[in-house]
Amino acid sequence: MEARDYKATLQLPTTSFPMKADLPKREPERLARWEASGLYEKVLAARREAGAPRFILHDGPPYANGRIHIGTALNKILKDIVVRSKTLAGFEAPYVPGWDCHGLPIELKVDKELGSKKREMDPVTFRKACREYAQKWVVAQRTDFQRLGILGAWEAPYRTMDYGYQATIARSFGEFLAKGLVTFGFKAVLWCVQCKTALAEAEVEYEDRKDASIHVAFPMPVTDALRALWGEALAAESELFAVIWTTTPWTLPANRAVCLGPEIPYVLARRASEPSKLYVLAEPLVEATAKALSWADLAAIPGTARKGAAVEMARPTYRRPFDVDGVSFGFLLGEHVSTDDGTGLVHTAPGHGREDHDVVKRSGHPVDDPALCPVDAAGFYDAHVPEPLRGKRVVAAKSPDLDANRAVLALLEAGDPSGARLLGRTDMVHSYPHCWRCKSPVVFRATHQWFIDLGALRDRALTEIREKVEWVPAFGVNRIGAMVENRLEWTISRQRLWGSPITILKPAEPREDLEYYPSADDPAELKLFFDHLVAIFEKHGADAWWDDENFPADAFVPPTSKWKGVAFEKVKDILDVWFDSGVSHAAVLGTSAYGIASPYDEATAAPVLYLEGHDQHRGWFQSSLLTAVALRGKAPYDTVVTHGFVVAGDGRKMSKSVGNTVEPDEVISKHGADVLRLWVGSTDYTDDIRLNQEILTRTAEAYRKIRNTARFLLSNLFDFDPKAWTPSPPRSSSPSTASSSPGPRSSSPTAGRPTTASSSTRSPAVCASSPRPTSPPSGATSARTLSSWPEGTTPPGARPRRPRSASPRRSPSSSTRSAPSPPRRSGSRCRATRGPPRISPPGTTSSSRLSPTSSTRPGAACSTSAPPSSGPSSPSAGTASSARAPRPAPKSNGPLPS
């Protein structure tokens, strides 16, 4: 007799879903299917055809100069999660990725690659090399982002070097000009000596740095006015000195004045060991100065306190150190002077300090003088300093011999001809500005630059920040609000080649009637110029501005301009790259050039979300806000979400030199992109996020458990046909109706299932532990229903009949009789059970089911109370002794989707 295969008689879980994920191999195949099928485009088209509401996440452009890092991956995955969740929620949520392609990092890289070849190149050829370099990394980063599973318009992204985008930059700059927001002047601006260009405040970060802290005494000639001011305390034989304090000794050769606080009291102080030497100090700082200099015998002369305004009225003078031209502005009054530190007398170098520049200019002294700034673009002293100092570098010196600070201190110690005295020196660690690109210390350096005056924009921008925009996390409003509130101007000019030009012409020969063209004073001419310029840029790109052969300055003067025929020169500075990316709302969202209908028009309005790292409060969030307020009067976004940085597992900053970095391509090749996405989705993105190999291993294990759970669930649905399944009709709440319909239901939950002996009937589950009536409720026919079953058997889910006792039965109206149990919906469970219901697909059985009477275990299955459906059935199938209670049918709100 042939052995029977009993395995075939078992109904076991079945699925083709593999146990092993093998993500590094399978994910590229899945991504290829998505791309080949046009998944992103199909989903977007379906939402548009359905008239779905729109939601716009505007992509902040990453910089195109290298492979993506783990922070970039975090940012893009978070954006993808937002876009997909909104799409699944029924929104039309397009995602157009972008790249920032202009700027210094790319220019420096190309410089390095070209080497000596650059000297042979004209600007247009060099810019072409920069464009090719940027495009190479755009393609590389796009591949990286797609490998992360990011869906978007990858074949039509926006790039700040696109011709159309460059035309929008020029048009936006023209609007700034028309509104009188652009100024030109000789001012002290933040300057990077490594990058050799001006910087905006948003491009500076502060780091601790050790510098020399020095006190220097400037000799003051004793005049009759000073004797009248201080009386007998200022004897004729006394030597008088103004004491200043600075942490930048290299700025002393640029000194032109000493500032006093108008309301600060100043005294004469002297040491007991040097009674002939008198020092002018702020009265509140005499004790602090004595401590800093270790002068225990320094004390103020009683009765010599005079306010700064009174001292300035005496017109005192001093001999400035390292003087080569004899020009000094004397003592000036400045509201910026305080008694928080120092001596109360501020060494003032208008070529190297913003407040210094402003106070000298307000006092009526000339500031447009190269001699005020004796430092060249690379940070070296020029010919406006004494011979021993020339060629010394003020910051980032490569050797001690080139260090300007060392050289200045050495000359002071040797004795400067002016008579200036170095009173004391200590080293101190203080916060100092650094270039956030090259990380080198920056300086203030007076140069001719273009600025945007933020005074006209600040109030409106703060209103948008505090009242119109939602910030997530909420503390972002304070961060960006403080930055905008304290920002006076925006230095927008850069002395480089790779970027968008400042599209202004200046007369080749000075003219009284025209300083620059076009002018905000002539709006019609300005519009004519920029319409003509934009048309050229749209066709030839911004390279035309540097193509003097094919596009000389005259080519940008419109044929109908009244200035046609005047000889002009082009301004060759470029715009700050934050202006380029800051107008992306105008170039990408404000036009249809990239396939997105403007969310700013009333007819196509949609909420706009910006999502970037929290460092962009001073960067892209701020430049976008300022440009949008100037161009549209409103913020470009409705909601701003910020995330933290990725740090090492121990909380330290990731660094290649330390060896604690995690690279996205390494994670993907080992674990797969889904593990990286799971890590992102399971973190608190609002704070800095820790990551190391141990965290990734735990995430991979969590992914495996989630996958196996899904596999188990799918395997139990192998014979479930959603197309054949229909929901059960709602049961009536009337007991009489429920019990008077013993026939079959109109739509059986077992439709589409194989018929088995155990799947003949299904009834709504009723908790086995709930009170049951001892007799049918009014109008019920349960006795007839039970009698329809064969003698000696009990319908499934019903209690066996008790033998009648000899004792009289209680009347139905007896108060001690238990109340009828309320009808229960299909799939209801006992309130006493724990955990979620264990539901099997209709028509299946499980050996783990409990009998109708086994209600004492936690989580016990509920028994049934409704009569069975009619139809063929084995008598033994309905007996309490041979059949287990069927599981409740799944609760449903309607047909499952196919």
Side-chain angles (χ1 to χ4, degrees):
M1 180 177 179
E2 185 179 354
R4 185 174 180 182
D5 182 8
Y6 288 97
K7 180 180 179 181
T9 67
L10 301 177
Q11 192 164 334
L12 298 175
T14 304
T15 181
S16 60
F17 189 71
M19 178 179 292
K20 184 178 180 181
D22 201 9
L23 295 178
K25 178 182 177 181
R26 290 197 176 102
E27 282 177 338
E29 299 172 355
R30 182 197 316 151
L31 296 174
R33 289 197 305 270
W34 290 356
E35 184 175 2
S37 64
L39 177 62
Y40 168 78
E41 292 77 10
K42 287 181 178 178
V43 171
L44 204 59
R47 289 288 185 266
R48 286 173 179 167
E49 291 173 4
R54 297 198 308 146
F55 176 87
I56 308 297
L57 187 151
H58 181 41
D59 187 33
Y63 203 68
N65 70 330
R67 301 303 291 263
I68 69 169
H69 53 75
I70 195 66
T72 321
L74 165 73
N75 176 263
K76 276 294 191 287
I77 292 173
L78 284 173
K79 290 176 180 176
D80 192 54
I81 291 173
V82 171
V83 171
R84 291 197 191 210
S85 63
K86 285 294 184 180
T87 300
L88 291 172
F91 287 83
E92 177 195 338
Y95 177 66
V96 177
W99 274 274
D100 193 352
C101 302
H102 291 148
L104 188 61
I106 290 175
E107 186 169 344
L108 293 178
K109 288 285 188 179
V110 175
D111 258 342
K112 187 175 180 179
E113 288 185 0
L114 292 175
S116 60
K117 294 180 181 179
K118 182 186 176 183
R119 291 193 293 268
E120 304 170 3
M121 289 183 173
D122 59 80
V124 176
T125 305
F126 178 75
R127 284 174 57 86
K128 182 180 179 181
C130 291
R131 177 180 293 274
E132 292 172 352
Y133 180 90
Q135 180 58 24
K136 176 184 72 174
W137 289 114
V138 166
V139 173
Q141 289 186 8
R142 179 176 62 187
T143 302
D144 292 342
F145 291 142
Q146 288 178 296
R147 181 62 185 86
L148 289 172
I150 314 298
L151 286 177
W154 294 110
E155 298 306 317
Y158 77 87
R159 305 172 304 168
T160 58
M161 64 181 183
D162 293 340
Y163 288 0
Y165 196 109
Q166 290 178 333
T168 301
I169 294 172
R171 186 180 294 281
S172 299
F173 178 69
E175 293 187 41
F176 272 78
L177 275 176
K179 295 179 180 180
L181 298 174
V182 180
T183 61
F184 180 76
F186 186 79
K187 296 183 181 181
V189 297
L190 290 163
W191 185 275
C192 178
V193 300
Q194 291 289 96
C195 302
K196 300 179 183 178
T197 186
L199 300 175
E201 292 175 353
E203 296 173 297
V204 171
E205 56 189 18
Y206 286 82
E207 298 179 7
D208 288 343
R209 168 185 163 98
K210 182 184 287 187
D211 278 317
S213 169
I214 63 174
H215 288 75
V216 182
F218 295 166
M220 295 176 60
V222 178
T223 63
D224 292 340
L226 291 179
R227 290 192 183 97
L229 179 68
W230 275 302
E232 296 180 357
L234 186 57
E237 67 278 5
S238 298
E239 294 180 72
L240 187 62
F241 297 90
V243 182
I244 64 95
W245 167 80
T246 182
T247 58
T248 54
W250 65 265
T251 60
L252 287 175
N255 174 272
R256 283 295 189 278
V258 173
C259 279
L260 306 173
E263 299 300 319
I264 297 175
Y266 291 89
V267 297
L268 298 179
R270 66 184 168 194
R271 302 178 66 187
S273 58
E274 294 180 318
S276 64
K277 292 182 172 59
L278 302 180
Y279 302 97
V280 180
L281 293 166
E283 185 177 33
L285 294 170
V286 172
E287 184 178 347
T289 302
K291 184 178 180 180
L293 295 174
S294 300
W295 287 359
D297 58 345
L298 179 69
I301 299 176
T304 60
R306 304 289 186 272
K307 286 187 177 182
V311 176
E312 193 270 339
M313 284 293 292
R315 298 293 184 267
T317 60
Y318 72 97
R319 291 190 292 274
R320 69 184 186 89
F322 312 111
D323 189 358
V324 295
D325 55 17
V327 178
S328 173
F329 304 145
F331 287 80
L332 306 176
L333 297 179
E335 297 294 338
H336 65 288
V337 182
S338 72
T339 56
D340 295 338
D341 49 26
T343 65
L345 291 86
V346 176
H347 144 59
T348 301
H352 298 293
R354 184 165 295 172
E355 291 172 329
D356 298 19
H357 178 277
D358 292 344
V359 74
V360 168
K361 186 175 181 179
R362 285 197 302 268
S363 301
H365 297 287
V367 293
D368 195 352
D369 182 357
L372 301 184
C373 180
V375 177
D376 67 16
F380 294 95
Y381 280 136
D382 60 18
H384 294 96
V385 299
E387 179 64 34
L389 296 178
R390 295 174 187 174
K392 308 298 182 182
R393 203 176 197 195
V394 297
V395 291
K398 294 184 178 180
S399 68
D401 293 340
L402 293 176
D403 190 340
N405 282 325
R406 285 174 176 264
V408 167
L409 293 174
L411 289 182
L412 284 175
E413 291 170 350
D416 185 72
S418 68
R421 300 176 57 201
L422 179 63
L423 302 181
R425 169 192 171 174
T426 58
D427 289 332
M428 68 172 293
V429 176
H430 62 145
S431 182
Y432 193 88
H434 288 68
C435 175
W436 79 339
R437 290 193 181 95
C438 69
K439 309 303 179 184
S440 293
V442 302
V443 298
F444 274 99
R445 179 171 177 265
T447 58
H448 288 90
Q449 302 292 337
W450 295 89
F451 304 89
I452 289 177
D453 182 8
L454 299 180
L457 303 177
R458 188 180 303 108
D459 290 344
R460 182 60 191 172
L462 290 173
T463 299
E464 291 293 306
I465 289 171
R466 294 166 179 167
E467 300 179 13
K468 306 296 183 180
V469 179
E470 179 184 4
W471 300 89
V472 181
F475 60 73
V477 64
N478 297 325
R479 183 182 177 102
I480 191 172
M483 291 178 177
V484 172
E485 190 169 25
N486 295 322
R487 192 172 179 182
L488 302 177
E489 60 192 12
W490 180 0
T491 309
I492 58 170
S493 50
R494 298 292 182 271
Q495 290 66 48
R496 307 301 301 186
L497 278 175
W498 180 230
S500 296
I502 291 181
T503 47
I504 291 178
L505 303 176
K506 58 182 180 179
E509 298 294 335
R511 298 174 60 103
E512 293 183 0
D513 58 342
L514 184 66
E515 184 178 8
Y516 290 99
Y517 175 76
S519 170
D521 297 332
D522 191 345
E525 188 70 29
L526 187 144
K527 183 179 184 305
L528 187 67
F529 171 82
F530 276 97
D531 286 346
H532 180 64
L533 173 86
V534 166
I536 295 175
F537 277 17
E538 286 177 340
K539 186 175 181 180
H540 302 281
D543 286 354
W545 192 259
W546 281 269
D547 188 356
D548 294 333
E549 181 178 350
N550 297 310
F551 295 95
D554 182 72
F556 291 96
V557 181
T560 58
S561 171
K562 64 183 179 182
W563 300 105
K564 194 68 174 176
V566 174
F568 286 105
E569 295 176 352
K570 303 171 188 172
V571 170
K572 291 297 179 72
D573 288 351
I574 64 170
L575 285 164
D576 177 14
V577 292
W578 288 114
F579 190 94
D580 291 9
S581 60
V583 298
S584 63
H585 56 83
V588 180
L589 303 183
T591 69
S592 58
Y594 294 95
I596 300 179
S598 175
Y600 308 128
D601 295 338
E602 185 175 347
T604 55
V608 178
L609 169 71
Y610 279 32
L611 191 161
E612 303 296 333
H614 56 63
D615 60 325
Q616 296 305 318
H617 285 117
R618 67 176 180 180
W620 190 57
F621 294 155
Q622 191 175 150
S623 64
S624 298
L625 172 73
L626 295 175
T627 55
V629 168
L631 299 176
R632 299 177 48 252
K634 294 182 179 180
Y637 35 67
D638 299 284
T639 305
V640 174
V641 177
T642 57
H643 61 78
F645 294 149
V646 181
V647 297
D650 56 5
R652 293 191 299 168
K653 182 179 179 180
M654 285 190 174
S655 170
K656 290 185 178 180
S657 60
V658 177
N660 60 356
T661 60
V662 177
E663 299 300 331
D665 57 340
E666 295 177 0
V667 177
I668 292 172
S669 62
K670 182 178 180 180
H671 299 290
D674 270 359
V675 170
L676 195 58
R677 293 174 67 93
L678 178 60
W679 166 74
V680 173
S682 60
T683 59
D684 177 8
Y685 65 87
T686 61
D687 200 355
D688 286 350
I689 307 168
R690 301 190 179 200
L691 182 63
N692 57 17
Q693 293 302 327
E694 180 185 354
I695 293 173
L696 281 170
T697 300
R698 292 203 301 265
T699 306
E701 178 65 17
Y703 176 86
R704 186 186 66 82
K705 292 179 179 179
I706 294 172
R707 180 184 180 86
N708 286 344
T709 301
R711 183 173 184 271
F712 175 77
L713 295 174
L714 289 172
S715 68
N716 278 279
L717 295 173
F718 74 96
D719 58 348
F720 175 65
D721 184 0
K723 294 182 179 179
W725 186 85
T726 54
S728 301
R731 293 183 60 81
S732 170
S733 60
S734 169
S736 61
T737 304
S739 61
S740 62
S741 303
R745 298 178 184 176
S746 59
S747 59
S748 171
T750 60
R753 290 288 184 171
T755 303
T756 62
S758 59
S759 62
S760 58
T761 57
R762 295 298 167 98
S763 302
V766 177
C767 178
S769 60
S770 61
R772 295 176 179 270
T774 55
S775 63
S778 175
T781 56
S782 59
R784 286 193 306 156
T785 303
L786 292 175
S787 65
S788 65
W789 285 81
E791 186 68 26
T793 64
T794 304
R799 286 187 176 182
R801 291 186 177 184
R802 299 179 184 175
R804 294 186 178 180
S805 63
S807 60
R809 299 182 62 184
R810 299 184 182 185
S811 67
S813 61
S814 173
S815 62
T816 60
R817 186 174 177 178
S818 59
S821 176
R824 293 184 178 265
R825 295 180 61 187
S826 173
S828 62
R829 303 182 72 245
C830 173
R831 299 176 199 167
T833 60
R834 302 174 186 175
R838 301 173 61 192
I839 301 175
S840 296
T844 62
T845 60
S846 173
S847 60
S848 62
R849 296 179 184 173
L850 301 175
S851 65
T853 58
S854 58
S855 59
T856 57
R857 287 180 55 189
C862 297
S863 64
T864 57
S865 61
S869 302
S870 62
S873 175
S874 169
S876 61
T879 61
S881 60
S882 62
R884 299 183 184 274
R887 290 187 183 183
K891 180 181 176 181
S892 174
N893 293 322
L896 292 176
S898 59

